[in-house]
Amino acid sequence: MRYLTKSRFKLAVECPRKLHYSGKKDYRNTKQEDSFLQSLADGGFQVGELAKRLYPGGIEITAKGNAEALAATAELLQRENVTLFEPAIAHGNLLIRADVLIKTGSSLKIVEVKSKSFDSSDPQIEGKGGLLKAEFKPYIEDIAFQAYVVRSAFPDSRVTAFPLLPDKSRLASVEQMNQLFKIDRSGDRVRIVCDPKADRLTTEESLLCEFNVDPYIALVHEHGLNTPSGVLGLAEASRQWAEAYANDEPLPASIGAQCAKCEFKAPLGDALKSGHAECWKEANGWSDADLTEPTILDLWNFRGKQKLMDQGVRRLAEVTQEDIKLAPGSNGLSNSERQWLQVDGLPIEHKSE
Ligand code: SF4
């Protein structure tokens, strides 16, 4: 079964069309790096290892396959009280592997371990107008999706959600935690060796902090998800995306400024397919030849790409001096002068009047 998992949900919030290219070997994916090594680099693995030590008696669901993991989780959740690491919970085509799930009678507490640090004395998660601040938005939306799946699967349970994060107010850093988890590269595989001291750490010493985010999850449901396809309610978006992913149906290519950072872009002539090229051809009615011309996405250091795209600008040659507010710099070339050089430096047949 092709499930909408939390990583695919995150991908779809960035751009729903990405679901169609995700996991397909014949498409170029520039973010396809080793997730274990990436997690090591940003401290995620170390924080995860530490977190497991803070919930003694927790049982890890080691099954990798969805069916086995779902069965093992369901069996253990028969117990009145239990703490599970990496349990699998599904509702229809939606599936999550939570970092930690704590069952106490009819209450279910989701704990999501993150390596992003925050300040518990001044969290600063909510910004103007009750909207979530951009730096925390993906984390809150991720845990909101998990809470939605768990609530849907267990409608009679009280579900709460807590990220577990390094707390800046405790005056230490992930760097110090890294000392407890050494990386051993001696064999042909990379291994993590845990210092016995890590087993004796209390929550206070661990520098990690649990933080209830239910009020922020309510904001996600209230304001919806801001995606390139428009604002969608979390439940409706999850349903649409799960259905499209399960049937391998491409969602419309809602091209926009986000395409500049799309990982599914292959250079012209690449051996692998380019999702980016498919999207831009579909959305603009372009041919392969059209893809050889520079686009608005190539404009250097320019924040108004989405605005110009909303006005129908696609090619770099269509950009005008007014669009970039061309003005001289006080000390050398201004940003807009550099941008205009880029537009103006094109061969004459590409230039706009
Ligand atoms: S090229 Fe743009 S529309 Fe297509 S998948 Fe990437 S971000 Fe989405």
Side-chain angles (χ1 to χ4, degrees), residues 48-219:
E49 277 300 304
L50 194 50
K52 280 185 193 159
R53 286 159 171 78
L54 301 182
Y55 302 97
I59 304 168
E60 183 159 7
I61 306 291
T62 51
K64 292 285 172 233
N66 291 333
E68 297 80 13
L70 284 166
T73 303
E75 192 180 330
L76 285 161
L77 285 178
Q78 301 290 326
R79 299 184 186 179
E80 182 66 8
N81 303 314
V82 69
T83 296
L84 301 178
F85 301 132
E86 296 284 321
I89 310 281
H91 173 69
N93 294 335
L94 313 177
L95 179 136
I96 59 145
R97 298 288 301 258
D99 289 336
V100 187
L101 186 71
I102 302 168
K103 182 183 181 220
T104 314
S106 63
S107 294
L108 291 168
K109 175 174 164 181
I110 303 164
V111 180
E112 175 69 9
V113 182
K114 295 286 182 200
S115 56
K116 176 170 178 54
S117 56
F118 93 123
D119 183 345
S120 64
S121 62
D122 185 18
Q124 301 252 6
I125 290 177
E126 195 175 330
K128 285 182 192 151
L131 295 173
L132 296 169
K133 286 201 167 170
E135 65 171 312
F136 283 103
K137 205 158 162 276
Y139 300 98
I140 303 291
E141 288 175 349
D142 170 344
I143 200 162
F145 174 68
Q146 295 186 55
Y148 173 69
V149 176
V150 175
R151 278 192 190 116
S152 303
F154 300 97
D156 297 328
S157 296
R158 179 173 176 269
V159 177
T160 52
F162 291 73
L164 183 74
L165 313 155
D167 186 351
K168 282 189 223 167
S169 72
R170 292 187 184 169
L171 299 174
S173 68
V174 175
E175 285 305 306
Q176 285 165 274
M177 280 188 270
N178 287 350
Q179 303 304 314
L180 298 171
F181 301 96
K182 302 278 187 220
I183 300 166
D184 175 6
R185 296 175 192 270
S186 54
D188 54 354
R189 291 185 57 188
V190 181
R191 282 190 322 126
I192 298 290
V193 181
C194 303
D195 189 306
K197 271 191 269 175
D199 292 324
R200 298 191 293 273
L201 281 181
T202 62
T203 309
E204 188 65 28
E205 289 165 339
S206 77
L207 321 170
L208 299 179
C209 175
E210 268 188 8
F211 181 62
N212 181 257
V213 289
D214 293 338
Y216 303 113
I217 289 178
L219 290 179

Side-chain angles (χ1 to χ4, degrees), residues 15 17-18 21 253-255 258-259 262 275-276 279-280:
C15 176
R17 177 63 171 248
K18 287 186 180 180
Y21 309 127
S254 302
I255 61 168
Q258 86 280 356
C259 299
C262 183
H276 186 282
C279 289
W280 277 63

Side-chain angles (χ1 to χ4, degrees), residues 287-316:
S287 65
D288 283 335
D290 290 312
L291 295 170
T292 59
E293 294 185 30
T295 72
I296 176 74
L297 298 180
D298 299 311
L299 188 54
W300 175 76
N301 202 17
F302 181 64
R303 291 191 172 181
K305 288 177 183 142
Q306 187 62 53
K307 193 171 161 208
L308 290 190
M309 286 191 71
D310 291 343
Q311 294 166 8
V313 175
R314 295 290 181 271
R315 300 184 194 285
L316 193 55

